[in-house]
Amino acid sequence: MTIKSKNQLSEALERLRTKLEASEAKRKQMEANNQTLSLISNAVNTTDNLDDLFKKIHEALQQVIDVPNFIIAIYDLQKELISFPYIADRSNKTLPDVKPVTSSESPVFQVIASGQTKIYDKNSPRNEQQKIKAHINTSVKQWIGIPLKTRHVVIGAIVIQNYTDSKLYARDDINLFNSISNVIANAIDFKRDR
């Protein structure tokens, strides 16, 4: 075998290894999604009220990814209010029970209004970092807001905050949050209607 043939074989093997690693990562991601979805579905059927459901949703996420600072925000369109019925945050417990939507500066409202995931970290513009600090009264290294969408409307958002590492939640983690957010929204909507 010539050196050129060996190099080509080596390159082909490396491409195959890369594809296999990507496939394995995707499989693990799907497994985590399925586990979380199963736990959330079970929570809908076994909880008696929204408070219990919020706690079970957080616990379900905790089984697949470390999310100690987790907030559920609910938006009331008619009253233009955002409430925070579930806050699990090790560093900051100063969020109000209800917050009027009087300004588009609120990062949670930005997520709800746009229906898009927002991520703020050390790479975000300085003014974006200051908006986050102004609304939660402390600095975070990474702030992720994911809209909670039912089929018809955005009903709120989940917020994950990290105070120590601006890269704690990688793209795969954010993809997990995004992929299960509609299930969380529908679970909350279903439980609210009962």
Side-chain angles (χ1 to χ4, degrees):
M1 187 179 276
T2 67
I3 292 176
K4 185 177 179 182
S5 297
K6 286 182 181 179
N7 286 342
Q8 289 174 334
L9 180 60
S10 178
E11 288 171 4
L13 287 171
E14 183 61 28
R15 285 192 302 272
L16 181 60
R17 185 185 65 75
T18 301
K19 284 183 179 181
L20 286 172
E21 286 175 353
S23 178
E24 177 63 12
K26 193 175 215 177
R27 184 194 66 75
K28 285 182 180 180
Q29 181 70 39
M30 288 176 57
E31 192 175 284
N33 287 6
N34 289 339
Q35 178 185 1
T36 305
L37 293 173
S38 175
L39 291 168
I40 291 169
S41 295
N42 187 46
V44 170
N45 296 323
T46 60
T47 57
D48 294 327
N49 57 55
L50 277 172
D51 292 337
D52 290 341
L53 178 63
F54 297 147
K55 185 176 180 186
K56 292 285 187 185
I57 289 169
H58 187 204
E59 289 171 358
L61 284 171
Q62 283 281 88
Q63 290 193 23
V64 293
I65 188 169
D66 186 26
V67 284
N69 306 307
F70 179 78
I71 299 166
I72 295 176
I74 301 296
Y75 180 56
D76 183 328
L77 180 63
Q78 283 74 33
K79 295 179 182 176
E80 293 190 355
L81 295 173
I82 297 175
S83 62
F84 299 91
Y86 185 82
I87 300 172
D89 194 313
R90 292 181 183 163
S91 299
N92 185 12
K93 303 204 186 309
T94 60
L95 288 173
D97 289 334
V98 175
K99 195 173 208 171
V101 180
T102 56
S103 165
S104 62
E105 295 293 310
S106 164
V108 174
F109 182 69
Q110 287 294 317
V111 170
I112 293 167
S114 70
Q116 301 293 316
T117 297
K118 303 273 185 196
I119 303 166
Y120 300 106
D121 58 23
K122 71 176 186 172
N123 297 324
S124 299
R126 183 99 174 121
N127 64 332
E128 297 293 336
Q129 294 175 26
Q130 289 172 337
K131 284 181 197 175
I132 296 293
K133 185 174 183 178
H135 285 278
I136 65 169
N137 302 321
T138 191
S139 292
V140 294
K141 299 288 185 185
Q142 191 175 37
W143 186 96
I144 304 165
I146 299 110
L148 293 173
K149 298 179 196 176
T150 64
R151 193 178 325 191
H152 307 289
V153 67
V154 177
I155 64 164
I158 55 175
V159 175
I160 291 111
Q161 299 179 152
N162 176 7
Y163 299 98
T164 59
D165 183 355
S166 65
K167 295 181 181 182
L168 179 65
Y169 300 112
R171 178 59 44 202
D172 287 345
D173 301 324
I174 294 165
N175 288 341
L176 170 67
F177 298 138
N178 281 319
S179 69
I180 64 171
S181 65
N182 290 3
V183 172
I184 292 171
N186 286 313
I188 291 168
D189 205 39
F190 176 77
K191 194 59 87 171
R192 276 197 310 195
D193 291 341
R194 287 179 127 199

